[in-house]
Amino acid sequence: MEQPSMIDGKRALRGGVVVDAEAASHILKPLLDSAKVCGIVKPCVLACAPSDARYEERQSLVDAIMRSGAASAEVIPEPLAAAIGAGIDVSSPYARMVVDIGEGVTDCAIISSSEIRACCAVRTGCARMRSAIVKDLGCSEYGDEFADHLMRRCGLDRSPEEIGSITVAASIELVLEEIACKLSSFVRDLPAEMGCDVIDSGICLTGGGALMPGVRRFLEERIGISISVADNPRHSVVEGARAILPVMLMLNRWD
């Protein structure tokens, strides 16, 4: 079940982290109530947060989950879940790189032997792209839903037949350029052995942003490493978290 990140005009999340614990708990409560066993036994919850989330930000997430009726809550790094959900063999000793373009954050990690060896995050994603489209097209009367439609339909493809596609592509590129610069710098700073592994295996792209036309090609050209898109990029984090749940105590978690 998917839920919006806003309730009664209050935004629960920004930049991939909880900014209003009360709003977040109101959003989560129906989900956790439906997960109760026999309507009584509270569920245990596994949540994901950006790899650069501070302790306070992770604690806000845990607090919101517990206030929503969970028996317990654990938090794992989002790109680890994305990698597993994308089908990457995270137990391999060879380094694999995953980039998750989400709603409020783009998260990147190098994973080997079931642990995150290096990571970086940019607190920007699809939400900022939509806002840029709304502003540049002057279509505030249509809002985010219309901008989201244009993102998925046009992306970075500039077509004379598609009205507004040139403006849409330019709006998205500004955000993607910031993401690409961060990722390029991250890759350049990797240790030689780790970098060679990534060059050999390529980058796996996940998250809703991976579905936009032209995004894979744009990042591939900027970073200089081959990129493949996960089979179900939008749900990679969720599917990865589902797979991790039974064995989460054996995997990498924050101290």
Side-chain angles (χ1 to χ4, degrees):
M1 183 188 298
E2 294 186 11
Q3 292 283 81
S5 60
M6 291 185 65
I7 186 169
D8 297 331
K10 296 181 179 179
R11 187 176 295 279
L13 303 174
R14 184 177 292 110
V17 296
V18 173
V19 293
D20 189 326
E22 182 179 359
S25 65
H26 283 308
I27 292 171
L28 291 172
K29 192 175 188 309
L31 300 178
L32 298 191
D33 284 346
S34 66
K36 288 180 179 177
V37 179
C38 299
I40 300 173
V41 181
K42 296 180 179 180
C44 296
V45 176
L46 176 64
C48 300
S51 60
D52 70 339
R54 302 188 306 273
Y55 171 80
E56 294 80 6
E57 292 172 329
R58 302 197 302 270
Q59 193 57 48
S60 291
L61 176 57
V62 171
D63 290 345
I65 294 170
M66 296 303 293
R67 287 168 60 179
S68 303
S72 64
E74 297 285 352
V75 182
I76 62 170
E78 198 165 272
L80 179 61
I84 293 173
I88 293 175
D89 179 11
V90 298
S91 66
S92 169
Y94 298 103
R96 297 293 304 273
M97 180 171 171
V98 61
V99 174
D100 182 76
I101 305 178
E103 176 69 3
V105 62
T106 297
D107 217 338
C108 165
I110 306 294
I111 302 169
S112 67
S113 300
S114 300
E115 293 188 3
I116 291 179
R117 304 298 180 179
C119 61
C120 73
V122 188
R123 295 292 180 94
T124 189
C126 296
R128 187 170 156 198
M129 296 178 199
R130 280 197 300 272
S131 296
I133 292 170
V134 170
K135 178 182 176 182
D136 294 343
L137 282 180
C139 56
S140 57
E141 66 272 20
Y142 298 106
D144 285 353
E145 188 173 342
F146 180 61
D148 193 67
H149 166 74
L150 291 175
M151 283 170 59
R152 297 182 185 282
R153 181 181 178 87
C154 303
L156 295 178
D157 291 346
R158 293 172 168 84
S159 171
E161 290 77 28
E162 193 70 51
I163 297 176
S165 65
I166 295 176
T167 302
V168 169
S171 302
I172 294 173
E173 270 193 15
L174 285 175
V175 181
L176 279 177
E177 193 65 58
E178 180 181 339
I179 292 171
C181 286
K182 181 74 172 182
L183 295 178
S184 295
S185 177
F186 173 72
V187 170
R188 285 197 303 269
D189 292 340
L190 290 175
E193 184 177 357
M194 195 178 293
C196 288
D197 283 350
V198 171
I199 292 172
D200 287 342
S201 61
I203 297 170
C204 180
L205 193 62
T206 67
L211 295 170
M212 288 187 293
V215 168
R216 182 197 64 79
R217 184 176 64 253
F218 178 90
L219 292 177
E220 199 170 61
E221 291 174 353
R222 295 301 191 280
I223 301 171
I225 296 176
S226 63
I227 296 177
S228 61
V229 177
D231 290 339
N232 189 8
R234 190 161 177 261
H235 296 115
S236 292
V237 171
V238 173
E239 292 303 320
R242 192 198 308 274
I244 291 173
L245 189 56
V247 292
M248 63 183 182
L249 294 179
M250 299 171 59
L251 296 178
N252 180 55
R253 289 184 293 164
W254 279 295
D255 294 328

